[in-house]
Amino acid sequence: MTNPYTVLGVDRTATDDEIKKAYRELAKKYHPDNYANSPLADLAQEKMKEINEAYDTIQRERAEGAGSGGYTYSAFAEIRSYIEKGDFYEAGIRLDAARQSERNAEWFYLKGRVNESRGFFFEAERCYETACAMDPQNHEYREAAERLRNNAQGFDNRRYGGSPACGCSVCDVCAGIMCIDCCCDCMGYGC
Amino acid sequence: MPQLRVGEHEFYRGAYSGLCRALNKRTGAVSSLTLSYDMVFFALVRSVLAGDKYIIKKKRCLAHPLRKRAMMMRSESLEYTADINALLVYHKFRDDKNDERGAKKAAAGALASAFSAIKKRVRGLDALENEIEASLSELAVLEAKKRPSPDEAAETFGKTLAVCLSHGLTGSRARLAYEIGRHTGRAVYLADAACDFWKDKKSASYNPFVLAFGGEMGEAQERSMKNAVLLELSALEKTLMLLDYTDFELAGECIMNVAVFGIKHSFFSEFEKEKANDKPIYSARG
């Protein structure tokens, strides 16, 4: 897991201006134009990508004003970028590889995202709730938990349009229905 | 919407009767006793997915000899559903035989062997049956490990219905079928597990919700179980909306109604019933 501050070579307490300056310098250094005819152009491109991602991560993180501490928040920056790319599979593997001691609020939030993408809503909700409990100030985590709750609530609030045809057991194979149906019909109470 | 209108209701019953007849023909009279509305839903979705046109006629049947009623005539999807029903019912009784005790075990054992014979009439679905076996044995592993994950357990059942619904289809229809089957299976499993919470806790049977909550049940746990089912149904609805219902308007209305309101309603009422059952009528102190 690469720390974006390390990539840019700045301290995590650096000001926004300092970060911008460091980013510009590195970008100038690794700019593709400098490697136009080099056989290592692809490596430079990789490096440039890493720098851009690091800068974006820090920018985003600071814009959201989230987290209880800069570095803790970005500890899973790489995993976040997988999630943003829609590669939940890779993100899931990397999350599972994190040690128990590393599993902070952000870890639970990201785990929730991965679970949600797989349609594992029960686990997703629990993960978001754990993240919120660990970091109650975080908007991102709270929003995710609320979004899921609202989805469920929104579906629940839809008007019910039941009918006898829908009054079936959701559970088991129901041998009785036919007999009941038959009795109702024979007695003239076609239900 | 969303009430099933008279036409839709009759249509749904027509599909029920048609499937009943298909069961009779394909796998014998005994198997028609195992018919459930869940399988009618399956048959309708399969018809739409396969683009399998149906005809409804007024007919008499064995169960309703007194008056003619709507009946969906023979179609490939009805016959396929009848075959799938035999396979699923067999596996259900076989699992019950392993899980239950006493008289229930004996009954399930007898039914399992009866259906083992009935199942033999189903031909050409060996590969599918292997897939069903595989996902149900995944569930058995989770049960044996007492895995406290409702989602993982539900996924195995979701996979079972997914492979059944998508078998023999290709391209985007197969993908849609897989997802519809998966969400339906998952929703039914989760709803079932939530309703059985108290019963399974008492009998110490495998129930991932009981394990996930450490046997605790309160407002938060109830909400969490209900949300899991509601979110699954909401996902099912979104998938069902991607189906093309041109020429299948009545089936479409029925499918959406059952998936969106039918399952939810029966889950909620069953859940409340089970919850009320658990409360003691009176409690003695002393």
Side-chain angles (χ1 to χ4, degrees):
Chain A
M1 256 166 266
T2 327
N3 174 359
Y5 292 92
T6 316
V7 174
L8 296 189
V10 291
D11 196 82
R12 65 171 183 273
T13 54
T15 65
D16 290 350
D17 282 342
E18 282 166 345
I19 287 165
K20 200 182 272 179
K21 199 174 151 209
Y23 167 72
R24 279 194 181 145
E25 273 170 21
L26 285 170
K28 215 185 285 172
K29 208 160 124 191
Y30 292 102
H31 196 277
D33 288 351
N34 296 342
Y35 294 87
N37 298 316
S38 162
L40 298 176
D42 57 323
L43 293 182
Q45 221 165 350
E46 276 294 304
K47 184 80 186 156
M48 194 64 214
K49 205 172 137 206
E50 198 185 355
I51 294 161
N52 282 332
E53 273 172 11
Y55 184 64
D56 287 346
T57 307
I58 296 174
Q59 290 287 96
R60 196 174 48 241
E61 173 193 321
R62 293 195 170 194
E64 283 165 0
S68 27
Y71 180 62
T72 329
Y73 187 77
S74 61
F76 298 105
E78 201 184 353
I79 294 179
R80 261 178 194 273
S81 71
Y82 279 110
I83 288 177
E84 268 146 36
K85 277 187 282 182
D87 190 352
F88 292 99
Y89 182 75
E90 188 61 36
I93 291 175
R94 282 164 190 261
L95 280 170
D96 289 342
R99 281 191 299 273
Q100 287 292 339
S101 56
E102 287 174 335
R103 298 184 178 184
N104 57 8
E106 189 189 15
W107 186 90
F108 278 99
Y109 164 72
L110 296 175
K111 183 81 182 162
R113 293 276 307 268
V114 171
N115 275 322
E116 196 181 340
S117 77
R118 297 170 70 192
F120 279 22
F121 300 118
F122 175 81
E123 317 279 358
E125 199 182 0
R126 291 188 110 199
C127 285
Y128 291 149
E129 273 165 11
T130 311
C132 289
M134 288 169 95
D135 187 355
Q137 304 302 321
N138 191 299
H139 292 292
E140 191 180 28
Y141 310 161
R142 215 170 42 219
E143 264 168 29
E146 271 167 19
R147 182 171 43 77
L148 219 49
R149 271 198 297 270
N150 290 342
N151 278 356
Q153 205 53 46
F155 187 81
D156 191 16
N157 288 343
R158 301 262 296 279
R159 197 165 61 88
Y160 164 64
S163 87
C166 298
C168 52
S169 153
V170 289
C171 316
D172 290 329
V173 176
C174 180
I177 286 181
M178 210 178 88
C179 306
I180 297 162
D181 205 9
C182 177
C183 294
C184 290
D185 209 22
C186 293
M187 294 171 76
Y189 299 110
C191 40
Chain B
M1 278 280 272
Q3 200 97 29
L4 270 194
R5 288 181 286 256
V6 179
E8 289 159 26
H9 189 196
E10 200 182 2
F11 173 82
Y12 204 71
R13 285 181 61 145
Y16 185 94
S17 306
L19 185 53
C20 183
R21 206 156 102 134
L23 285 169
N24 247 309
K25 286 225 161 120
R26 301 286 289 186
T27 48
V30 177
S31 68
S32 68
L33 291 172
T34 62
L35 176 54
S36 71
Y37 277 109
D38 296 353
M39 290 317 281
V40 181
F41 176 73
F42 185 102
L44 287 181
V45 177
R46 178 79 188 188
S47 300
V48 177
L49 280 161
D52 194 5
K53 296 269 170 58
Y54 38 69
I55 302 165
I56 303 231
K57 284 190 181 166
K58 289 269 185 189
K59 285 264 177 190
R60 272 181 229 285
C61 73
L62 212 66
H64 307 94
L66 296 187
R67 98 177 166 211
K68 285 186 176 181
R69 46 189 286 163
M71 188 188 286
M72 191 178 276
M73 303 311 288
R74 245 189 95 206
S75 78
E76 247 176 63
S77 299
L78 281 184
E79 289 181 350
Y80 176 73
T81 308
D83 290 353
I84 293 295
N85 185 66
L87 297 184
L88 292 178
V89 168
Y90 162 70
H91 282 285
K92 185 195 147 29
F93 286 137
R94 203 192 56 177
D95 290 349
D96 283 357
K97 189 179 84 178
N98 297 334
D99 298 346
E100 299 286 356
R101 283 171 223 140
K104 278 187 181 170
K105 187 185 179 78
L111 286 164
S113 53
F115 269 86
S116 166
I118 287 173
K119 182 173 75 82
K120 291 208 178 90
R121 298 191 206 174
V122 177
R123 306 222 176 265
L125 293 178
D126 294 348
L128 175 64
E129 209 191 339
N130 288 341
E131 286 186 78
I132 296 175
E133 286 265 16
S135 39
L136 290 178
S137 58
E138 268 177 49
L139 181 60
V141 170
L142 295 177
E143 286 182 10
K145 283 187 186 161
K146 294 194 185 306
R147 189 97 177 117
S149 167
D151 278 321
E152 279 178 40
E155 190 68 13
T156 61
F157 198 61
K159 243 194 249 171
T160 307
L161 269 198
V163 291
C164 289
L165 199 58
S166 60
H167 182 79
L169 300 174
T170 52
S172 59
R173 284 168 191 248
R175 281 174 54 211
L176 274 171
Y178 191 92
E179 285 305 310
I180 294 169
R182 175 172 171 253
H183 289 307
T184 310
R186 283 181 56 92
V188 168
Y189 184 93
L190 291 169
D192 222 358
C195 293
D196 288 346
F197 185 96
W198 298 273
K199 211 164 57 192
D200 287 342
K201 188 182 161 189
K202 215 173 278 172
S203 64
S205 305
Y206 175 74
N207 184 315
F209 281 124
V210 174
L211 296 169
F213 298 141
E216 292 271 321
M217 171 54 88
E219 231 169 82
Q221 286 82 356
E222 187 180 325
R223 193 67 260 161
S224 169
M225 291 199 290
K226 284 183 175 167
N227 280 355
V229 176
L230 289 169
L231 288 165
E232 200 58 55
L233 288 176
S234 164
L236 172 62
E237 185 193 15
K238 280 178 203 144
T239 320
L240 283 171
M241 284 188 324
L242 299 174
L243 275 185
D244 180 7
Y245 296 106
T246 323
D247 298 334
F248 291 95
E249 283 80 10
L250 267 177
E253 296 275 312
C254 289
I255 288 168
M256 291 310 268
N257 259 296
V258 172
V260 179
F261 301 104
I263 302 179
K264 183 176 90 174
H265 175 73
S266 28
F267 163 56
F268 277 4
S269 54
E270 178 78 16
F271 187 85
E272 290 310 319
K273 210 169 75 193
E274 293 294 334
K275 194 170 127 186
N277 274 349
D278 186 61
K279 283 197 183 120
I281 300 166
Y282 62 88
S283 60
R285 286 162 186 267

